């Protein structure tokens, strides 16, 4: 692949290029400042890679998503979430004995220390679950001071397993606290998804058996959300990890990043948007008009993506799943019909077509979560639960890479030039 030649004034610099597995080419500007005293500016890093990664491949033009080379639709159909968690972190699908050992290890770490309840109970019952989850995840680091060294592979492995094991319990217990119900303890006889559903929806007064449709759907949803390359929250996890912060602190940073409505918070915003449309009596044309209006901050939530400029393969899987799951659960949700109508109209509108705005992973997921019995404010923590193995895989890849450097971007300063201090009485 040819190198790039940068000409700036009378200066010229040859920049080497690197080629990825799928033929993508990156120009290495590592010598730019030392050779020409120049830096680059790239808002939102839309054209810039910090480095290489072998975890997830996305082709936004062709709507391709693969975890460690395996296509997302095949994993969603055939794998379990813990199988995908193993794949993302260790690089290959586990053999039967490896998966059984991994499942056993995760199952045996699902319990939380009793005093973690005091953490949940310090929050107002109205607290958003993402705020609680980020705090509880940070707090986990204080219970395992002996396993925080990011350069100690054994410590990293046990901390990663504790995070995967305990996050469903933290999410379920924070929910039970917020709805004033008793905590339900993990049941080691259940698989990962069924155990979470029981901790979420069981009450001591009666037996609880998770609906197999809901269990199967949750497993698929978690897989679809498990990783997505260098998205906002994974980049936050990597940035914090680049300073050799421990895995709990780094993942807590990812949870905060995911909470934003432009990122993982969009699944909650989509449901709120659809509900507002129904309640306000607004027509879809009014909604589309607002979304296109530059002077109106309203955006069509669940639409658009930095990378996917064709279609989000996850949204395609979720659109089909939404119809199947609601039918299987006997749920008739008018918001699904509204979402599909909104999608049809938007995809034939020049504004969306021209900007290549298609439904993303968040457009249909909330309708499915709602049919499964989750409250709207739980949608983003469900995204976090799915994304957890991806965050961990990205963090482990960065922490174990000998070429890793602390993230410290440059800037182009445009503030005031030097000026003398002014005495307070003279201001
Ligand atoms: C996720 O990165 C990932 O991989 C993320 C994710 C993952 O798995 O980790 O896939 C998960 O975060 C999905 C995205 C969820 N967010 C939303 O659904 C919120 C609504 N979408 C937008 O805010 C937006 O599309 C983003 C944030 C998703 C992407 O923003 P970009 O890439 O910075 O695009 P942009 O803001 O520069 O938009 C380009 C144009 C602009 O118009 P012009 O200035 O060119 O005239 O498209 C317009 C935007 O105004 N536009 C929208 C729009 N999204 C973009 N107009 C109306 N409604 C929208 N939703």
């Amino acid at each position: 692949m040819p190198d790039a030649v940068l000409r700036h004034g009378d200066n010229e610099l040859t920049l080497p290029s690197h080629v990825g597995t799928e033929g993508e080419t990156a120009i290495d500007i590592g010598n730019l400042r030392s050779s020409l005293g120049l830096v680059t500016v790239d808002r939102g890093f839309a054209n810039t890679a910090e480095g290489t990664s072998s975890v997830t491949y996305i082709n936004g033009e062709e709507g391709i998503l693969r975890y460690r080379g395996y296509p997302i639709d095949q994993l969603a159909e055939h794998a379990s979430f813990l199988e995908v968690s193993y794949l993302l972190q260790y690089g290959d699908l586990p053999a039967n004995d490896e998966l059984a050992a991994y499942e056993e290890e995760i199952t045996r770490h699902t319990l939380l220390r009793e005093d973690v309840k005091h953490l949940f109970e310090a929050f107002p019952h109205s607290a958003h679950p993402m705020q609680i989850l980020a705090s509880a995840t940070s707090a986990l680091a204080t219970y395992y001071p002996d396993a925080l060294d990011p350069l100690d592979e054994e410590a990293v492995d046990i901390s990663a397993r504790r995070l995967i094991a305990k996050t469903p319990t933290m999410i379920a217990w924070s929910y039970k606290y917020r709805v004033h119900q008793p905590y339900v303890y993990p049941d080691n006889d259940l698989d990962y998804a069924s155990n979470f559903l029981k901790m979420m929806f069981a009450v001591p007064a009666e037996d609880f058996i998770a609906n197999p449709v809901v269990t199967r759907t949750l497993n698929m949803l978690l897989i679809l959300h498990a990783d997505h390359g260098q998205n906002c929250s994974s980049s936050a996890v990597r940035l914090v990890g680049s300073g050799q912060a421990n895995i709990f602190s780094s993942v807590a940073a990812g949870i905060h990043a995911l909470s934003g409505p432009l990122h993982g918070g969009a699944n909650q915003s989509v449901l709120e948007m659809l509900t507002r449309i129904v309640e306000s009596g607004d027509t879809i044309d009014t909604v589309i008009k607002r979304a296109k209006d530059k002077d109106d901050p309203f955006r069509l939530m669940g639409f658009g993506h930095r990378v996917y400029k064709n279609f989000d393969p996850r949204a395609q899987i979720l659109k089909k799943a939404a119809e199947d799951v609601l039918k299987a659960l006997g749920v008739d949700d008018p918001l699904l019909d509204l979402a599909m109508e909104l999608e049809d109209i938007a995809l034939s509108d020049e504004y969306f077509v021209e900007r290549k705005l298609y439904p993303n992973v968040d457009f249909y997921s909330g309708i499915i979560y709602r049919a499964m019995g989750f409250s709207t404010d739980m949608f983003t923590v469900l995204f976090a639960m799915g994304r957890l193995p991806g965050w961990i895989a990205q963090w482990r890849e960065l922490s174990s890479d000998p070429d890793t450097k602390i993230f410290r971007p440059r800037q182009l300063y445009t503030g005031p030039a030097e000026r003398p201090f002014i005495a307070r009485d003279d201001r």
Side-chain angles (χ1 to χ4, degrees):
M1 185 56 72
D3 293 337
V5 177
L6 177 71
R7 278 191 199 82
H8 185 258
D10 299 333
N11 300 316
E12 188 173 289
L13 175 66
T14 299
L15 298 170
S17 57
H18 307 294
V19 181
T21 308
E22 299 293 337
E24 287 176 301
T25 302
I27 304 298
D28 188 331
I29 58 169
N31 292 328
L32 182 60
R33 193 166 186 278
S34 58
S35 305
L36 298 185
L38 302 173
V39 297
T40 58
V41 173
D42 181 21
R43 302 311 303 267
F45 306 114
N47 305 280
T48 299
E50 186 278 330
T52 60
S53 177
S54 58
V55 179
T56 289
Y57 173 67
I58 302 172
N59 181 316
E61 285 65 38
E62 295 176 28
I64 295 172
L65 172 59
R66 300 186 197 127
Y67 297 160
R68 300 285 190 180
Y70 293 97
I72 188 65
D73 57 327
Q74 294 178 30
L75 291 170
E77 188 176 345
H78 302 298
S80 73
F81 177 60
L82 287 186
E83 214 171 347
V84 169
S85 174
Y86 185 101
L87 167 67
L88 286 168
Q89 293 181 61
Y90 301 104
D92 285 306
L93 286 169
N96 282 329
D97 59 334
E98 290 170 323
L99 180 58
Y102 185 63
E103 288 169 341
E104 170 64 15
E105 174 89 352
I106 296 299
T107 299
R108 307 210 63 76
H109 283 88
T110 50
L111 202 55
L112 290 172
R113 299 277 179 88
E114 279 296 300
D115 34 3
V116 175
K117 292 176 184 175
H118 303 309
L119 178 75
F120 297 136
E121 289 153 15
F123 285 93
H125 289 282
S126 59
H128 194 286
M130 283 295 274
Q131 300 302 331
I132 300 176
L133 180 62
S135 305
T137 302
S138 290
L140 279 186
T142 64
Y143 289 97
Y144 306 106
D146 57 328
L148 300 180
D149 181 352
L151 305 179
D152 174 342
E153 185 43 40
E154 207 174 303
V156 167
D157 213 41
I158 181 58
S159 294
R161 290 167 188 230
R162 280 174 171 146
L163 266 169
I164 297 285
K166 296 181 192 300
T167 295
T169 313
M170 292 195 293
I171 291 173
W173 280 18
S174 66
Y175 173 72
K176 285 301 195 187
Y177 164 70
R178 289 170 53 245
V179 297
H180 307 278
Q181 285 187 6
Y183 299 114
V184 175
Y185 284 80
D187 179 342
N188 287 358
D189 293 333
L190 298 177
D191 64 65
Y192 195 82
S194 306
N195 184 35
F196 173 65
L197 291 167
K198 182 174 180 182
M199 292 191 288
M200 276 290 300
F201 299 121
V203 289
E206 55 192 33
D207 289 341
F208 176 88
I209 306 285
N211 180 323
V213 173
V214 175
T215 302
R216 203 168 45 250
T217 304
L218 179 61
N219 181 69
M220 177 206 51
L221 282 162
L222 294 174
I223 289 171
L224 291 176
H225 288 82
D227 192 56
H228 213 240
Q230 306 313 310
N231 58 84
C232 176
S233 53
S234 296
S235 298
V237 170
R238 277 180 170 257
L239 183 139
V240 172
S242 76
Q244 292 192 359
N246 67 67
I247 194 169
F248 300 102
S249 303
S250 303
V251 166
I255 295 169
H256 284 301
L258 188 72
S259 68
L262 294 189
H263 190 13
N267 58 16
Q268 176 175 338
S269 304
V270 169
L271 246 290
E272 290 164 350
M273 174 185 74
L274 295 172
T275 306
R276 247 192 334 271
I277 293 170
V278 171
E279 288 171 352
S280 67
D282 275 354
T283 64
I284 289 185
D285 289 342
T286 308
V287 174
I288 297 283
K289 190 162 175 289
R290 282 195 60 201
K292 291 160 44 173
D293 180 354
K294 284 283 156 252
D295 299 325
D296 188 331
F298 173 77
R299 284 198 161 181
L300 199 57
M301 300 313 279
F303 256 73
H305 199 278
R306 174 61 61 76
V307 174
Y308 289 122
K309 298 306 176 189
N310 186 332
F311 60 90
D312 182 336
R314 302 166 298 177
Q316 289 202 317
I317 295 170
L318 286 170
K319 179 177 179 180
K320 169 91 177 53
E323 290 182 287
D324 297 347
V325 171
L326 268 63
K327 192 169 164 206
L329 295 174
V331 171
D332 179 17
D333 187 347
L335 296 189
L336 176 58
D337 303 330
L338 174 61
M340 289 183 166
E341 199 182 341
L342 199 52
E343 176 185 0
D344 287 347
I345 293 175
L347 294 188
S348 58
D349 184 294
E350 188 48 37
Y351 172 92
F352 292 87
V353 173
E354 195 180 280
R355 291 166 180 77
K356 299 180 179 178
L357 302 176
Y358 295 87
N360 57 50
V361 68
D362 293 309
F363 191 62
Y364 286 105
S365 56
I367 290 168
I368 300 174
Y369 289 139
R370 189 162 101 132
M372 293 161 71
F374 293 102
S375 56
T376 304
D377 61 7
M378 290 297 288
F379 293 177
T380 312
V381 286
L382 292 168
F383 190 147
M385 190 163 114
R387 185 52 53 88
L388 185 57
W391 285 332
I392 293 172
Q394 299 283 347
W395 185 91
R396 294 180 81 159
E397 181 176 63
L398 174 115
S399 301
S400 60
D401 179 350
D403 295 332
T404 289
K405 296 173 76 68
I406 189 168
F407 286 22
R408 205 276 179 224
R410 292 283 177 170
Q411 64 170 18
L412 187 64
Y413 176 70
T414 55
E418 184 178 359
R419 51 184 173 167
F421 184 80
I422 302 170
R424 206 163 301 151
D425 296 341
D426 299 336
R427 289 174 199 164

